[in-house]
């Protein structure tokens, strides 16, 4: 009986020696069979019950040796076969094959339009002032001559932070005027491009987020004529040398007098007809002479300095530039749409 059991151990040892897994898959079968949780060597250990006491020690040692042999064989084969598999994989790489092209990203049409506008103003000495989108009530409204309960606040409802009615998403880039004037004395000549927010229903023509470029020029003797000439220069650079502009009287709390500016595009093309609602005139910005109260709010002597300011929307200009009919497309981030305007400017 015990001789039989001993010979089973020898048979197992021989079987392990004879087993020659040729690849990693066969090796895994080997592992399961001899080293897995239900391996065949366990059965041999179980037999120890039937071995006479004086032989138990020797039996145990021999089965252990079989187990160790299986482990050693597994470990060395694993290393060999893995190395062989790696070498085979490398051998299959064709070093002369062309690489996979990495698609280049490009600027968003809004960014391209915005950069064009920035360049135009930089050429006449304006510098970019970049500031925060999460703004406090003071910079967005109060400093801009729109104190609490002022009816003009209704025109610019926005999103407030949950934990503070003092903090909001800026409704216009005019807040940057206050940011800059608070820490800079004239001459000031800045443009402030960026994203703004309004609590408005999203449609083809309006969105709860959009972009503006703000302009501010404060110095001694700045006049409305300077404003008008600057805007005419801008319109001609942006829309072509024949561009015409008109200023319509308007109201903004932070400028006095205030105006809105339209550019004449004509109605010849269908897109111009559509965009100007058949009038030929496209409204692109609000502007005016900085209200002395705004200068004073921000620590600038209004008896010494005057200034002009303007704020223009980007989306409408981009719609025209790219002949796009729906503002929502700008924010959907559909690569198929964006690719059509690929540009790196
Ligand atoms: N902030 C105004 C708006 O969002 C636009 C504007 C009008 C800006 C007149 C100005 C300005 O700087 O002078 O509707």
């Amino acid at each position: 009986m015990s001789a039989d059991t001993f010979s089973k151990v020898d048979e197992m040892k021989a079987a392990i020696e004879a087993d020659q897994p040729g690849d990693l898959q066969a090796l895994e079968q080997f592992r399961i069979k001899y080293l897995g949780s239900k391996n065949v060597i366990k059965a041999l250990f179980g037999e120890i019950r039937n071995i006479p006491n004086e032989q138990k020690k020797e039996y145990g040692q021999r089965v252990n040796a079989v187990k160790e042999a299986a482990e050693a064989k597994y470990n060395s084969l694993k290393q060999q076969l893995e190395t062989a598999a790696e070498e085979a994989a490398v051998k299959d790489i064709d070093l002369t094959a062309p690489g996979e092209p990495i698609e280049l990203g490009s600027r968003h049409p809004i960014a391209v339009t915005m950069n064009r506008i920035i360049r135009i103003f930089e050429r006449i000495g304006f510098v970019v002032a970049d500031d925060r989108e999460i703004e406090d009530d003071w910079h967005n409204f109060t400093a801009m001559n729109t104190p609490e309960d002022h009816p003009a606040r209704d025109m610019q409802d926005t999103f407030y932070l949950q934990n503070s009615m003092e903090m909001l998403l800026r409704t216009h880039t005019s807040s940057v005027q206050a940011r800059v004037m608070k820490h800079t004395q004239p001459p000031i000549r800045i443009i402030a491009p960026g994203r703004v927010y309004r609590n408005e229903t999203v449609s083809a023509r309006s969105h709860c987020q959009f972009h503006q470029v703000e302009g501010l020029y404060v110095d001694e003797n700045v006049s409305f004529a300077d404003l008008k000439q600057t805007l005419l220069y801008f319109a001609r650079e942006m829309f072509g040398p024949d561009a015409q502009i008109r200023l319509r009287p308007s109201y903004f709390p932070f400028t006095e007098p205030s105006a809105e500016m339209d550019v004449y595009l004509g109605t010849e093309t269908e897109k111009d007809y559509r965009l100007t609602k058949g009038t030929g005139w496209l409204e692109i910005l609000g502007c005016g002479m900085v209200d002395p109260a705004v200068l004073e709010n921000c620590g600038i002597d209004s008896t010494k300095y005057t200034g002009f300011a303007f704020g223009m929307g980007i989306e409408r200009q981009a719609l025209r530039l790219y002949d796009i009919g729906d503002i929502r497309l700008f924010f959907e981030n559909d690569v198929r749409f964006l690719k059509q305007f690929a540009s790196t400017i």
Side-chain angles (χ1 to χ4, degrees), residues 230-241:
T230 303
L231 295 179
L232 179 63
Y233 155 79
F234 165 72
R236 291 192 168 155
E237 292 293 310
M238 191 71 185
F239 297 97

PDB file of all heavy atoms in Angstrom, residues 230-241:
ATOM      1  N   THR A 230     -11.482 105.910 -33.084  1.00  0.00           N
ATOM      2  CA  THR A 230     -10.936 104.595 -32.729  1.00  0.00           C
ATOM      3  C   THR A 230     -11.864 103.488 -33.235  1.00  0.00           C
ATOM      4  O   THR A 230     -11.415 102.473 -33.781  1.00  0.00           O
ATOM      5  CB  THR A 230     -10.782 104.485 -31.189  1.00  0.00           C
ATOM      6  OG1 THR A 230      -9.956 105.553 -30.744  1.00  0.00           O
ATOM      7  CG2 THR A 230     -10.169 103.162 -30.782  1.00  0.00           C
ATOM      8  N   LEU A 231     -13.161 103.713 -33.069  1.00  0.00           N
ATOM      9  CA  LEU A 231     -14.113 102.686 -33.490  1.00  0.00           C
ATOM     10  C   LEU A 231     -14.196 102.576 -35.015  1.00  0.00           C
ATOM     11  O   LEU A 231     -14.351 101.479 -35.561  1.00  0.00           O
ATOM     12  CB  LEU A 231     -15.503 102.975 -32.897  1.00  0.00           C
ATOM     13  CG  LEU A 231     -15.571 102.877 -31.369  1.00  0.00           C
ATOM     14  CD1 LEU A 231     -16.973 103.210 -30.875  1.00  0.00           C
ATOM     15  CD2 LEU A 231     -15.139 101.483 -30.880  1.00  0.00           C
ATOM     16  N   LEU A 232     -14.043 103.699 -35.683  1.00  0.00           N
ATOM     17  CA  LEU A 232     -14.051 103.660 -37.153  1.00  0.00           C
ATOM     18  C   LEU A 232     -12.831 102.882 -37.653  1.00  0.00           C
ATOM     19  O   LEU A 232     -12.937 102.038 -38.551  1.00  0.00           O
ATOM     20  CB  LEU A 232     -14.051 105.087 -37.722  1.00  0.00           C
ATOM     21  CG  LEU A 232     -14.041 105.162 -39.252  1.00  0.00           C
ATOM     22  CD1 LEU A 232     -15.312 104.524 -39.840  1.00  0.00           C
ATOM     23  CD2 LEU A 232     -13.929 106.620 -39.733  1.00  0.00           C
ATOM     24  N   TYR A 233     -11.697 103.163 -37.024  1.00  0.00           N
ATOM     25  CA  TYR A 233     -10.470 102.426 -37.369  1.00  0.00           C
ATOM     26  C   TYR A 233     -10.709 100.924 -37.179  1.00  0.00           C
ATOM     27  O   TYR A 233     -10.398 100.111 -38.049  1.00  0.00           O
ATOM     28  CB  TYR A 233      -9.318 102.911 -36.483  1.00  0.00           C
ATOM     29  CG  TYR A 233      -8.211 101.888 -36.299  1.00  0.00           C
ATOM     30  CD1 TYR A 233      -7.257 101.672 -37.291  1.00  0.00           C
ATOM     31  CD2 TYR A 233      -8.142 101.127 -35.123  1.00  0.00           C
ATOM     32  CE1 TYR A 233      -6.258 100.720 -37.121  1.00  0.00           C
ATOM     33  CE2 TYR A 233      -7.141 100.173 -34.958  1.00  0.00           C
ATOM     34  CZ  TYR A 233      -6.209  99.971 -35.957  1.00  0.00           C
ATOM     35  OH  TYR A 233      -5.242  99.028 -35.793  1.00  0.00           O
ATOM     36  N   PHE A 234     -11.298 100.579 -36.034  1.00  0.00           N
ATOM     37  CA  PHE A 234     -11.544  99.167 -35.771  1.00  0.00           C
ATOM     38  C   PHE A 234     -12.437  98.546 -36.854  1.00  0.00           C
ATOM     39  O   PHE A 234     -12.136  97.483 -37.404  1.00  0.00           O
ATOM     40  CB  PHE A 234     -12.194  98.974 -34.396  1.00  0.00           C
ATOM     41  CG  PHE A 234     -12.782  97.604 -34.226  1.00  0.00           C
ATOM     42  CD1 PHE A 234     -11.954  96.498 -34.077  1.00  0.00           C
ATOM     43  CD2 PHE A 234     -14.163  97.399 -34.280  1.00  0.00           C
ATOM     44  CE1 PHE A 234     -12.486  95.215 -33.971  1.00  0.00           C
ATOM     45  CE2 PHE A 234     -14.696  96.116 -34.174  1.00  0.00           C
ATOM     46  CZ  PHE A 234     -13.853  95.029 -34.013  1.00  0.00           C
ATOM     47  N   ALA A 235     -13.538  99.230 -37.159  1.00  0.00           N
ATOM     48  CA  ALA A 235     -14.503  98.686 -38.118  1.00  0.00           C
ATOM     49  C   ALA A 235     -13.844  98.455 -39.482  1.00  0.00           C
ATOM     50  O   ALA A 235     -14.100  97.455 -40.150  1.00  0.00           O
ATOM     51  CB  ALA A 235     -15.704  99.616 -38.252  1.00  0.00           C
ATOM     52  N   ARG A 236     -12.974  99.380 -39.872  1.00  0.00           N
ATOM     53  CA  ARG A 236     -12.333  99.250 -41.194  1.00  0.00           C
ATOM     54  C   ARG A 236     -11.322  98.112 -41.210  1.00  0.00           C
ATOM     55  O   ARG A 236     -11.187  97.406 -42.207  1.00  0.00           O
ATOM     56  CB  ARG A 236     -11.666 100.569 -41.585  1.00  0.00           C
ATOM     57  CG  ARG A 236     -12.724 101.608 -41.860  1.00  0.00           C
ATOM     58  CD  ARG A 236     -12.176 102.835 -42.520  1.00  0.00           C
ATOM     59  NE  ARG A 236     -13.297 103.634 -43.003  1.00  0.00           N
ATOM     60  CZ  ARG A 236     -13.252 104.946 -43.207  1.00  0.00           C
ATOM     61  NH1 ARG A 236     -12.133 105.587 -42.989  1.00  0.00           N
ATOM     62  NH2 ARG A 236     -14.310 105.591 -43.647  1.00  0.00           N
ATOM     63  N   GLU A 237     -10.630  97.932 -40.101  1.00  0.00           N
ATOM     64  CA  GLU A 237      -9.680  96.816 -40.023  1.00  0.00           C
ATOM     65  C   GLU A 237     -10.415  95.485 -40.002  1.00  0.00           C
ATOM     66  O   GLU A 237      -9.976  94.501 -40.582  1.00  0.00           O
ATOM     67  CB  GLU A 237      -8.822  96.927 -38.748  1.00  0.00           C
ATOM     68  CG  GLU A 237      -7.866  98.085 -38.737  1.00  0.00           C
ATOM     69  CD  GLU A 237      -6.765  97.926 -39.783  1.00  0.00           C
ATOM     70  OE1 GLU A 237      -6.132  96.856 -39.834  1.00  0.00           O
ATOM     71  OE2 GLU A 237      -6.553  98.885 -40.561  1.00  0.00           O
ATOM     72  N   MET A 238     -11.549  95.465 -39.336  1.00  0.00           N
ATOM     73  CA  MET A 238     -12.268  94.207 -39.138  1.00  0.00           C
ATOM     74  C   MET A 238     -13.141  93.855 -40.339  1.00  0.00           C
ATOM     75  O   MET A 238     -13.212  92.702 -40.745  1.00  0.00           O
ATOM     76  CB  MET A 238     -13.138  94.339 -37.869  1.00  0.00           C
ATOM     77  CG  MET A 238     -13.739  93.057 -37.384  1.00  0.00           C
ATOM     78  SD  MET A 238     -12.468  91.972 -36.678  1.00  0.00           S
ATOM     79  CE  MET A 238     -13.454  90.515 -36.336  1.00  0.00           C
ATOM     80  N   PHE A 239     -13.813  94.848 -40.882  1.00  0.00           N
ATOM     81  CA  PHE A 239     -14.813  94.547 -41.912  1.00  0.00           C
ATOM     82  C   PHE A 239     -14.437  95.048 -43.298  1.00  0.00           C
ATOM     83  O   PHE A 239     -15.202  94.921 -44.236  1.00  0.00           O
ATOM     84  CB  PHE A 239     -16.170  95.137 -41.505  1.00  0.00           C
ATOM     85  CG  PHE A 239     -16.721  94.539 -40.240  1.00  0.00           C
ATOM     86  CD1 PHE A 239     -16.544  95.169 -39.015  1.00  0.00           C
ATOM     87  CD2 PHE A 239     -17.386  93.319 -40.265  1.00  0.00           C
ATOM     88  CE1 PHE A 239     -17.030  94.608 -37.847  1.00  0.00           C
ATOM     89  CE2 PHE A 239     -17.872  92.750 -39.102  1.00  0.00           C
ATOM     90  CZ  PHE A 239     -17.702  93.395 -37.889  1.00  0.00           C
ATOM     91  N   GLY A 240     -13.264  95.641 -43.429  1.00  0.00           N
ATOM     92  CA  GLY A 240     -12.824  96.100 -44.744  1.00  0.00           C
ATOM     93  C   GLY A 240     -12.778  97.617 -44.818  1.00  0.00           C
ATOM     94  O   GLY A 240     -13.481  98.308 -44.081  1.00  0.00           O
ATOM     95  N   PRO A 241     -11.946  98.159 -45.746  1.00  0.00           N
ATOM     96  CA  PRO A 241     -11.670  99.598 -45.792  1.00  0.00           C
ATOM     97  C   PRO A 241     -12.897 100.458 -46.106  1.00  0.00           C
ATOM     98  O   PRO A 241     -12.882 101.665 -45.848  1.00  0.00           O
ATOM     99  CB  PRO A 241     -10.607  99.724 -46.896  1.00  0.00           C
ATOM    100  CG  PRO A 241     -10.636  98.436 -47.633  1.00  0.00           C
ATOM    101  CD  PRO A 241     -11.162  97.386 -46.719  1.00  0.00           C
TER     102      PRO A 241
END
